[in-house]
Amino acid sequence: AQKITQTQPGMFVQEKEAVTLDCTYDTSDQSYGLFWYKQPSSGEMIFLIYQGSYDEQNATEGRYSLNFQKARKSANLVISASQLGDSAMYFCAMREAYGQNFVFGPGTRLSVLP
Amino acid sequence: EPEVTQTPSHQVTQMGQEVILRCVPISNHLYFYWYRQILGQKVEFLVSFYNNEISEKSEIFDDQFSVERPDGSNFTLKIRSTKLEDSAMYFCASQGRGRIQETQYFGPGTRLLVL
């Protein structure tokens, strides 16, 4: 079974508008971490934002925020005021235990239109 | 700002040849990982390394693969006899203490092409 699901293979957004990228996850652990990474066309993986399962507030980092709904097991990334440089693949990832590897979702390709 | 480095950035090899992909993790990190990404697909975990030994490995990491940290700074992934399906981007990542909330810092990747 897929542990991380990203149902939007591709998304388009107009420059300066906000966009939400969906991520749902599956775990029976109570303690886990959720991460979002950006992968531009150059290929590197850039860390964006983290949400812990016990965090009571949604994480925010500049223009990035995470809409965390624990009961629904969703951790959607919200990018406000999109910029052309935001065009990239976006991956949601989860870690379930200390020291353990990440499990990645299939990614969403975001295209920002001028 | 410290970063993970990887060499080479690109490698082309013939099927059946051995390749060694090199990584220099962030210096005070303790946990090291290799992932791969076949073109257009998701990032897949290969192996994790802690305290000079493999802590976890995936089904992909079969006997053709090996890792080592030969000198306390480099972290290498060796593929003994490459197959066409090994063509992928290989990412090294490192992490400080292994806590759930800690992120992993990825290197820029090595793009491997097996002909």
Side-chain angles (χ1 to χ4, degrees), chain A residues 3 25-33 53-54 68 70 73 94-98 100, chain B residues 100:
Chain A
K3 288 215 166 193
Y25 58 92
D26 181 26
T27 181
S28 56
D29 287 2
Q30 295 301 307
S31 183
Y32 51 88
S53 59
Y54 291 119
F68 181 47
K70 193 170 180 178
K73 293 187 176 177
M94 178 173 66
R95 174 190 289 126
E96 292 176 284
Y98 187 96
Q100 203 178 57
Chain B
I100 284 181

Side-chain angles (χ1 to χ4, degrees), chain B residues 6-23:
Chain B
Q6 289 185 244
T7 54
S9 58
H10 293 78
Q11 173 113 31
V12 180
T13 190
Q14 294 289 326
M15 191 171 60
Q17 294 295 305
E18 175 184 287
V19 295
I20 298 176
L21 310 184
R22 291 183 169 79
C23 168

